[in-house]
Amino acid sequence: MSDQLVLKAMEKEDLEFIHGLMNNPDIMSFWFEEPYQTKVDLEEKYMKNKDNEHIRFFILKKHEEQLGFVALYSIDPVHRKAEFAIIIDPAHQGCGYSGKATELAMDYAFNILNLHKLYLIVDETNEKAIHVYEQAGFKTEAVLKEEYFIKGSYHHAVYMSIFQKDYLKR
């Protein structure tokens, strides 16, 4: 893995890449969502949210290659917290990019936005993601029992977080 990984603000021309990710059933099952996004819908959402101060959308890139999508949702300037989400393109999974992308997102959240807390919700069966988050310093706060219905069964969701003070100590 190269240190050339960067988070770039998502642009309109990235929507084709995002469309492919958001319509992948394997990816979206881990996002607790239906793999159903039209290009028109994605473009409308992009245009509506491109100036929204409570959201940051990034494309993970290595040189000019798109590797994944990283987002900070529900950015709360009063309570100084946000939800973290990530997708690594299946063609690039297993290369260690998710750990580096998580670090880049935490750096942005804590050093640029000056957030106090970053949290995420992950499917309990997504052991690889949980391992990445634990390696990055996230701690489990709660397990939400049978929270989401995915592929015919209910799944537990793990609520994890990391605080700015703990991130800065590392």
Side-chain angles (χ1 to χ4, degrees):
M1 183 175 69
S2 169
D3 288 329
Q4 301 298 325
L5 295 180
V6 294
L7 293 180
K8 296 282 188 184
M10 189 174 91
E11 302 284 350
K12 192 172 181 181
E13 57 264 19
D14 296 315
L15 292 178
E16 184 71 31
F17 175 68
I18 298 300
H19 181 256
L21 297 176
M22 297 287 182
N23 281 286
N24 182 316
D26 295 326
I27 290 171
M28 296 317 291
S29 70
F30 284 123
W31 269 47
F32 311 114
E33 292 188 20
E34 181 181 6
Y36 181 80
Q37 287 283 324
T38 66
K39 289 179 184 177
V40 170
D41 186 38
L42 276 175
E43 187 169 333
E44 286 174 2
K45 287 179 182 177
Y46 171 79
M47 295 307 290
K48 177 182 173 190
N49 288 305
K50 68 182 180 62
D51 297 321
N52 185 337
E53 291 296 317
H54 301 283
I55 298 172
R56 298 291 189 282
F57 293 145
F58 300 99
I59 299 297
L60 177 68
K61 294 182 110 177
K62 181 177 180 183
H63 305 294
E64 291 304 311
E65 188 173 17
Q66 298 166 314
L67 305 175
F69 171 73
V70 173
L72 299 176
Y73 293 102
S74 304
I75 299 170
D76 185 331
V78 174
H79 302 293
R80 297 180 40 229
K81 64 181 181 172
E83 181 177 359
F84 167 69
I86 182 173
I87 298 172
I88 299 298
D89 184 333
H92 299 289
Q93 290 178 3
C95 300
Y97 296 139
S98 58
K100 180 65 175 168
T102 300
E103 292 288 334
L104 290 169
M106 290 190 310
D107 184 63
Y108 186 89
F110 295 131
N111 291 320
I112 304 297
L113 298 179
N114 192 31
L115 295 180
H116 172 68
K117 180 179 185 176
L118 196 58
Y119 66 92
L120 60 89
I121 299 171
V122 60
D123 190 319
E124 185 178 62
T125 66
N126 195 346
E127 295 173 1
K128 289 180 182 179
I130 291 170
H131 177 73
V132 167
Y133 303 141
E134 288 174 340
Q135 290 296 111
F138 283 84
K139 305 281 188 232
T140 298
E141 283 194 31
V143 176
L144 309 171
K145 302 293 184 182
E146 298 184 7
E147 188 72 7
Y148 296 103
F149 188 76
I150 305 296
K151 295 182 180 177
S153 65
Y154 283 95
H155 289 229
H156 300 334
V158 180
Y159 182 98
M160 302 178 79
S161 68
I162 184 169
F163 291 91
Q164 182 185 45
K165 64 184 177 205
D166 296 325
Y167 172 78
L168 295 175
K169 282 183 201 173
R170 301 169 344 128

